[in-house]
Amino acid sequence: MHRKLAPILLLAFPAYGHQMVPSHPVLEQSHVSGILKTELELFNKRKDVEYYELGVFDADWNSIPFVSAYRVAHVRYLGHLKFDVYIRKDDADRATYVCSKSKLRGDSTGTLLASRICSKLQQ
């Protein structure tokens, strides 16, 4: 019974979230020796969220040091933001995911649902 009902519920309640492209970014040499970079774009399809926290993680979800113009990015509803992520060449073998996580405001009303989207780095 539940298996038949689940697809109907998914169609009845649309899911809104955010997107990050490309889904499999490539690390390339930056203008600084020993530093690699990749370019990503974040698109916000959530009316209730305007801030997204960025992070780089290894395969076990441990944080990897990185540099970007944003740690927390402001992206308005239906807006998009292009950004670069820089990591050390020494960390390139460990770096697996670049993620963005929605940051919810404390004064939000209704159901609060955080979303995390990750792009898997090509090795």
Side-chain angles (χ1 to χ4, degrees):
M1 168 79 178
H2 294 290
R3 290 184 183 172
K4 292 179 183 177
L5 186 59
I8 294 170
L9 289 175
L10 288 175
L11 292 174
F13 299 103
Y16 300 103
H18 67 286
Q19 296 177 344
M20 193 164 60
V21 293
S23 61
H24 291 83
V26 177
L27 289 170
E28 300 173 344
Q29 181 62 47
S30 73
H31 63 283
V32 177
S33 177
I35 303 294
L36 302 176
K37 82 166 198 166
T38 189
E39 183 179 296
L40 294 126
E41 185 170 3
L42 183 64
F43 180 67
N44 181 13
K45 293 198 290 186
R46 289 186 63 172
K47 288 183 181 180
D48 61 332
V49 176
E50 289 190 2
Y51 292 92
Y52 294 90
E53 181 179 12
L54 305 177
V56 177
F57 302 92
D58 67 12
D60 296 323
W61 297 102
N62 297 309
S63 188
I64 301 283
F66 75 100
V67 173
S68 179
Y70 310 94
R71 280 296 171 154
V72 176
H74 181 244
V75 185
R76 294 185 189 276
Y77 174 61
L78 297 181
H80 62 92
L81 174 71
K82 287 186 179 182
F83 61 95
D84 294 327
V85 172
Y86 298 89
I87 65 170
R88 294 181 305 201
K89 199 172 201 172
D90 295 341
D91 292 330
D93 290 339
R94 293 186 317 126
T96 305
Y97 303 105
V98 178
C99 301
S100 58
K101 180 181 176 185
S102 60
K103 301 298 285 181
L104 303 172
R105 290 190 287 188
D107 62 349
S108 297
T109 59
T111 303
L112 300 177
L113 179 65
S115 58
R116 178 182 293 196
I117 302 294
C118 296
S119 293
K120 187 171 184 179
L121 293 165
Q122 289 186 12
Q123 299 296 328

